[in-house]
mmCIF file of all heavy atoms in Angstrom:
data_model
loop_
_atom_site.group_PDB
_atom_site.id
_atom_site.type_symbol
_atom_site.label_atom_id
_atom_site.label_comp_id
_atom_site.label_asym_id
_atom_site.label_seq_id
_atom_site.Cartn_x
_atom_site.Cartn_y
_atom_site.Cartn_z
ATOM 1 N N HIS A 42 0.202 11.161 1.246
ATOM 2 C CA HIS A 42 0.149 12.389 2.013
ATOM 3 C C HIS A 42 0.367 12.046 3.479
ATOM 4 O O HIS A 42 -0.470 11.322 4.088
ATOM 5 C CB HIS A 42 -1.272 12.925 1.817
ATOM 6 C CG HIS A 42 -1.497 14.266 2.530
ATOM 7 N ND1 HIS A 42 -2.586 15.093 2.377
ATOM 8 C CD2 HIS A 42 -0.797 14.864 3.496
ATOM 9 C CE1 HIS A 42 -2.620 16.065 3.122
ATOM 10 N NE2 HIS A 42 -1.540 16.031 3.885
ATOM 11 N N ASN A 43 1.457 12.575 4.041
ATOM 12 C CA ASN A 43 1.899 12.099 5.393
ATOM 13 C C ASN A 43 2.887 12.994 6.029
ATOM 14 O O ASN A 43 3.757 13.597 5.355
ATOM 15 C CB ASN A 43 2.585 10.770 5.143
ATOM 16 C CG ASN A 43 2.726 9.989 6.385
ATOM 17 O OD1 ASN A 43 3.366 10.303 7.334
ATOM 18 N ND2 ASN A 43 2.035 8.872 6.500
ATOM 19 N N HIS A 44 2.814 13.253 7.364
ATOM 20 C CA HIS A 44 3.713 14.168 8.010
ATOM 21 C C HIS A 44 4.624 13.417 8.855
ATOM 22 O O HIS A 44 4.840 13.675 10.116
ATOM 23 C CB HIS A 44 2.861 15.127 8.775
ATOM 24 C CG HIS A 44 1.901 15.938 7.885
ATOM 25 N ND1 HIS A 44 2.293 17.211 7.437
ATOM 26 C CD2 HIS A 44 0.752 15.723 7.341
ATOM 27 C CE1 HIS A 44 1.347 17.729 6.666
ATOM 28 N NE2 HIS A 44 0.395 16.773 6.504
ATOM 29 N N THR A 77 5.005 14.518 3.229
ATOM 30 C CA THR A 77 4.501 15.751 2.710
ATOM 31 C C THR A 77 4.415 16.812 3.821
ATOM 32 O O THR A 77 3.276 17.096 4.230
ATOM 33 C CB THR A 77 3.173 15.606 2.000
ATOM 34 O OG1 THR A 77 2.287 14.834 2.871
ATOM 35 C CG2 THR A 77 3.225 14.782 0.686
ATOM 36 N N HIS A 79 4.095 20.290 5.655
ATOM 37 C CA HIS A 79 3.546 21.539 5.212
ATOM 38 C C HIS A 79 4.593 22.416 4.628
ATOM 39 O O HIS A 79 5.665 22.591 5.230
ATOM 40 C CB HIS A 79 2.897 22.274 6.315
ATOM 41 C CG HIS A 79 1.649 21.570 6.869
ATOM 42 N ND1 HIS A 79 0.467 21.562 6.170
ATOM 43 C CD2 HIS A 79 1.472 20.879 8.033
ATOM 44 C CE1 HIS A 79 -0.439 20.920 6.841
ATOM 45 N NE2 HIS A 79 0.069 20.491 8.010
ATOM 46 N N GLU A 117 3.150 19.336 1.174
ATOM 47 C CA GLU A 117 1.745 19.738 1.097
ATOM 48 C C GLU A 117 1.840 21.283 1.080
ATOM 49 O O GLU A 117 2.119 21.942 2.073
ATOM 50 C CB GLU A 117 0.925 19.256 2.310
ATOM 51 C CG GLU A 117 -0.464 19.743 2.352
ATOM 52 C CD GLU A 117 -1.250 19.275 3.588
ATOM 53 O OE1 GLU A 117 -0.669 18.742 4.541
ATOM 54 O OE2 GLU A 117 -2.479 19.378 3.525
ATOM 55 N N GLU A 145 -2.762 22.505 -0.603
ATOM 56 C CA GLU A 145 -3.693 22.601 0.520
ATOM 57 C C GLU A 145 -4.415 23.977 0.377
ATOM 58 O O GLU A 145 -3.744 25.034 0.252
ATOM 59 C CB GLU A 145 -2.840 22.627 1.837
ATOM 60 C CG GLU A 145 -3.775 22.781 3.030
ATOM 61 C CD GLU A 145 -2.883 23.091 4.310
ATOM 62 O OE1 GLU A 145 -1.992 23.905 4.227
ATOM 63 O OE2 GLU A 145 -3.236 22.536 5.426
ATOM 64 N N HIS A 173 -7.504 16.822 0.738
ATOM 65 C CA HIS A 173 -8.752 16.700 1.579
ATOM 66 C C HIS A 173 -9.935 17.797 1.329
ATOM 67 O O HIS A 173 -10.190 18.576 2.150
ATOM 68 C CB HIS A 173 -8.504 16.701 3.067
ATOM 69 C CG HIS A 173 -7.329 17.490 3.500
ATOM 70 N ND1 HIS A 173 -7.427 18.881 3.434
ATOM 71 C CD2 HIS A 173 -6.178 17.132 4.025
ATOM 72 C CE1 HIS A 173 -6.260 19.391 3.961
ATOM 73 N NE2 HIS A 173 -5.435 18.351 4.313
ATOM 74 N N ASP A 231 -2.734 11.337 5.547
ATOM 75 C CA ASP A 231 -2.443 12.667 6.167
ATOM 76 C C ASP A 231 -2.127 12.467 7.728
ATOM 77 O O ASP A 231 -2.516 13.288 8.573
ATOM 78 C CB ASP A 231 -3.711 13.578 6.080
ATOM 79 C CG ASP A 231 -3.335 15.033 6.359
ATOM 80 O OD1 ASP A 231 -2.168 15.310 6.509
ATOM 81 O OD2 ASP A 231 -4.307 15.788 6.464
ATOM 82 N N HIS A 233 -0.285 12.465 11.150
ATOM 83 C CA HIS A 233 0.532 13.455 11.784
ATOM 84 C C HIS A 233 1.279 12.806 13.027
ATOM 85 O O HIS A 233 2.249 13.386 13.521
ATOM 86 C CB HIS A 233 -0.239 14.639 12.367
ATOM 87 C CG HIS A 233 -0.641 15.638 11.283
ATOM 88 N ND1 HIS A 233 -1.478 15.303 10.217
ATOM 89 C CD2 HIS A 233 -0.242 16.897 11.091
ATOM 90 C CE1 HIS A 233 -1.599 16.396 9.474
ATOM 91 N NE2 HIS A 233 -0.853 17.420 10.025
ATOM 92 N N ARG A 238 -4.147 11.512 15.306
ATOM 93 C CA ARG A 238 -4.050 11.690 13.787
ATOM 94 C C ARG A 238 -3.206 10.640 13.182
ATOM 95 O O ARG A 238 -2.150 10.843 12.655
ATOM 96 C CB ARG A 238 -3.503 13.055 13.463
ATOM 97 C CG ARG A 238 -4.444 14.288 13.818
ATOM 98 C CD ARG A 238 -5.722 14.335 12.967
ATOM 99 N NE ARG A 238 -5.355 14.370 11.576
ATOM 100 C CZ ARG A 238 -5.173 15.515 10.951
ATOM 101 N NH1 ARG A 238 -5.203 16.692 11.590
ATOM 102 N NH2 ARG A 238 -4.930 15.494 9.589
HETATM 103 FE FE1 FE2 B 538 -1.498 17.215 5.571
#
Side-chain angles (χ1 to χ4, degrees):
H42 179 172
N43 196 296
H44 299 264
T77 53
H79 291 287
E117 179 180 11
E145 180 193 40
H173 39 68
D231 195 9
H233 281 64
R238 292 292 303 275

